[in-house]
Amino acid sequence: MEHIYPIFDKMLSRTDKENLLKQHGLMIWFTGLSGSGKSTLAIALERELQKRGLLCRILDGDNIRSGINNNLGFSEEDRIENIRRIAEVGKLFVDTGIITIAAFISPSNAIRKMAAQIIGEKDFMEIYVSTPLEECERRDVKGLYAKARKQEIKNFTGISAPFEKPLHPALTLDTSQLSVEESVNMLLDCILPIVSFTNK
């Protein structure tokens, strides 16, 4: 049986969305210890990209754990599922042409590789916020590291659970050595050639 309205047989493509937005979708994935500066850089980067007329969406613990992942705990299985769902949501944004900025500890290379494979490795830019543990502890306004040291929090990344450094990050930023402005400028140098509509 022929469709009555064949023009409506399929959804608009990613190219259609990117043509509308005049930008290319990309996942910028910040990884690093708690307190390393991931969310601070994500927010600052979003503001700078918006100034340039680019549409972004930040995904972080605040808007993910309180919503789509509010039924997950912190077991190993739940941590993997947390990242899997984040990656699936991120893929939808990227496929819509939106520059998506994720800020999650995501402590292992395997879990970050899973995210990259879900999103698509060509659309995945891994940023390692390499701020040393000592500095992260010094910044710890919530007292999480102190609680972890007292074993009041189990499996806390950097204290009682490992963090694996990324093998081949697109960029490494140590916010104990670089200002937010310096870090964002380095990020822009990496990102703008990819998302800029005139470069493809």
Side-chain angles (χ1 to χ4, degrees):
M1 179 177 176
E2 290 186 10
H3 292 293
I4 300 173
Y5 303 110
I7 194 171
F8 301 122
D9 276 356
K10 59 183 180 179
M11 293 185 287
L12 291 170
S13 69
R14 173 174 174 171
T15 300
D16 293 320
K17 308 291 178 59
E18 291 183 332
N19 285 339
L20 176 67
L21 295 173
K22 294 184 169 48
Q23 66 182 51
H24 295 283
L26 179 69
M27 169 60 80
I28 302 154
W29 191 282
F30 288 100
T31 183
L33 295 172
S34 176
S36 60
K38 300 182 299 297
S39 291
T40 298
L41 292 181
I43 291 167
L45 176 62
E46 180 187 41
R47 292 181 181 276
E48 288 302 317
L49 290 171
Q50 176 149 316
K51 285 180 186 177
R52 290 159 173 79
L54 297 165
L55 181 63
C56 305
R57 171 76 253 187
I58 292 177
L59 303 177
D60 65 9
D62 289 338
N63 58 28
I64 291 293
R65 281 282 185 181
S66 63
I68 192 171
N69 286 352
N70 66 3
N71 65 324
L72 297 178
F74 292 92
S75 68
E76 182 64 21
E77 295 79 9
D78 280 2
R79 287 172 187 265
I80 293 170
E81 177 62 11
N82 181 53
I83 296 300
R84 189 194 70 78
R85 291 186 195 178
I86 292 162
E88 293 287 1
V89 170
K91 179 177 175 59
L92 294 174
F93 280 117
V94 170
D95 284 348
T96 309
I98 296 170
I99 300 162
T100 310
I101 305 168
F104 297 95
I105 294 171
S106 45
S108 72
N109 284 304
I111 209 169
R112 294 188 296 267
K113 183 176 181 180
M114 176 187 70
Q117 288 175 337
I118 290 169
I119 292 160
E121 296 193 12
K122 68 180 179 61
D123 294 321
F124 187 90
M125 179 181 286
E126 185 178 49
I127 307 297
Y128 175 32
V129 187
S130 64
T131 308
L133 174 61
E134 297 75 20
E135 177 63 15
C136 294
E137 288 197 70
R138 189 187 68 78
R139 298 174 180 176
D140 185 21
V141 294
K142 296 180 182 178
L144 298 177
Y145 281 101
K147 289 180 180 178
R149 293 281 186 194
K150 295 175 185 175
Q151 299 183 344
E152 294 174 13
I153 301 176
K154 295 181 179 180
N155 299 318
F156 191 83
T157 305
I159 303 298
S160 52
F163 179 88
E164 295 178 1
K165 296 179 181 180
L167 299 174
H168 305 290
L171 191 63
T172 298
L173 301 169
D174 179 350
T175 63
S176 69
Q177 301 295 322
L178 296 166
S179 68
V180 172
E181 182 179 8
E182 288 170 331
S183 297
V184 169
N185 284 337
M186 292 171 69
L187 286 162
L188 291 173
D189 286 343
C190 285
I191 294 162
L192 290 177
I194 296 172
V195 301
S196 176
F197 200 72
T198 57
N199 287 340
K200 301 278 181 162

